[in-house]
Coordinates of all heavy atoms in Angstrom, one line a residue:
L215 N -2.5 13.6 5.1 CA -3.9 13.3 5.5 C -4.8 13.5 4.3 O -5.7 12.7 4.1 CB -4.3 14.2 6.6 CG -5.6 13.9 7.3 CD1 -5.6 12.5 7.8 CD2 -5.8 14.8 8.5
E217 N -4.0 13.0 1.1 CA -3.9 11.8 0.2 C -4.6 10.6 0.8 O -5.2 9.9 0.0 CB -2.4 11.5 0.1 CG -1.6 12.5 -0.7 CD -1.0 13.6 0.2 OE1 -1.3 13.7 1.4 OE2 -0.3 14.4 -0.4
L226 N -14.3 4.1 -1.3 CA -15.7 4.0 -0.8 C -16.8 4.5 -1.8 O -17.9 4.5 -1.5 CB -15.8 4.7 0.5 CG -15.0 4.1 1.7 CD1 -15.2 4.9 2.9 CD2 -15.4 2.6 1.9
P228 N -17.8 3.6 -5.2 CA -17.9 2.8 -6.4 C -18.9 3.4 -7.4 O -18.9 3.0 -8.5 CB -18.2 1.4 -6.0 CG -18.9 1.6 -4.6 CD -18.3 2.8 -4.0
S244 N 7.0 7.8 -10.1 CA 8.1 6.8 -10.4 C 9.1 6.8 -9.3 O 9.2 7.7 -8.5 CB 8.7 7.2 -11.7 OG 9.4 8.5 -11.6
T254 N 3.6 7.2 10.9 CA 3.3 6.2 11.9 C 1.9 5.7 11.6 O 1.0 6.4 11.3 CB 3.3 6.8 13.3 OG1 4.5 7.3 13.6 CG2 2.9 5.8 14.3
L257 N -0.6 -1.3 13.2 CA -0.7 -2.6 12.6 C -1.2 -3.5 13.6 O -0.9 -3.4 14.8 CB 0.6 -3.1 12.0 CG 1.3 -2.3 11.0 CD1 2.7 -2.9 10.6 CD2 0.5 -2.2 9.7
E259 N -1.2 -6.9 15.7 CA 0.0 -7.6 16.2 C 0.5 -8.7 15.2 O 1.6 -8.8 15.0 CB -0.2 -8.1 17.6 CG 1.0 -8.6 18.2 CD 0.8 -9.0 19.7 OE1 -0.2 -8.6 20.3 OE2 1.7 -9.6 20.2
D263 N 4.1 -8.9 13.4 CA 4.9 -10.1 13.5 C 5.2 -10.7 12.2 O 6.4 -11.1 11.9 CB 4.3 -11.1 14.4 CG 4.1 -10.7 15.9 OD1 4.8 -9.7 16.3 OD2 3.3 -11.2 16.6
T266 N 7.9 -8.6 10.5 CA 9.2 -8.9 11.1 C 9.7 -10.2 10.5 O 10.9 -10.3 10.1 CB 9.1 -8.9 12.6 OG1 8.6 -7.6 13.1 CG2 10.4 -9.2 13.2
V270 N 13.1 -11.1 8.0 CA 14.2 -12.1 8.4 C 14.3 -13.1 7.2 O 15.4 -13.4 6.8 CB 13.8 -12.8 9.7 CG1 14.7 -14.0 9.9 CG2 13.9 -11.8 10.9
L276 N 18.1 -13.2 0.0 CA 18.8 -12.2 -0.8 C 20.3 -12.4 -0.8 O 20.8 -12.8 0.2 CB 18.4 -10.8 -0.4 CG 17.0 -10.3 -0.7 CD1 16.8 -9.0 0.0 CD2 16.7 -10.3 -2.2
S285 N 14.4 -4.2 4.3 CA 14.0 -3.5 5.5 C 12.4 -3.5 5.6 O 11.7 -3.7 4.6 CB 14.4 -2.0 5.4 OG 13.7 -1.3 4.4
K286 N 11.9 -3.3 6.7 CA 10.5 -3.2 6.9 C 9.9 -2.1 6.1 O 8.8 -2.2 5.5 CB 10.1 -3.1 8.4 CG 10.3 -4.3 9.2 CD 9.9 -4.0 10.7 CE 10.2 -5.2 11.5 NZ 9.9 -5.0 12.9
E302 N -5.5 1.6 -9.0 CA -5.4 2.4 -10.2 C -5.9 1.6 -11.4 O -6.6 2.1 -12.3 CB -3.9 2.8 -10.4 CG -3.7 3.5 -11.7 CD -4.1 5.0 -11.6 OE1 -4.2 5.5 -10.5 OE2 -4.5 5.5 -12.7
I314 N -12.1 -5.3 1.5 CA -12.3 -4.2 2.4 C -13.8 -3.9 2.6 O -14.3 -3.8 3.7 CB -11.6 -2.9 2.0 CG1 -10.1 -3.1 2.1 CG2 -12.1 -1.7 2.8 CD1 -9.3 -2.0 1.4

Side-chain angles (χ1 to χ4, degrees):
L215 195 52
E217 291 88 354
L226 295 178
S244 64
T254 301
L257 301 175
E259 189 171 347
D263 292 343
T266 302
V270 170
L276 291 172
S285 68
K286 288 182 184 178
E302 177 74 29
I314 291 170

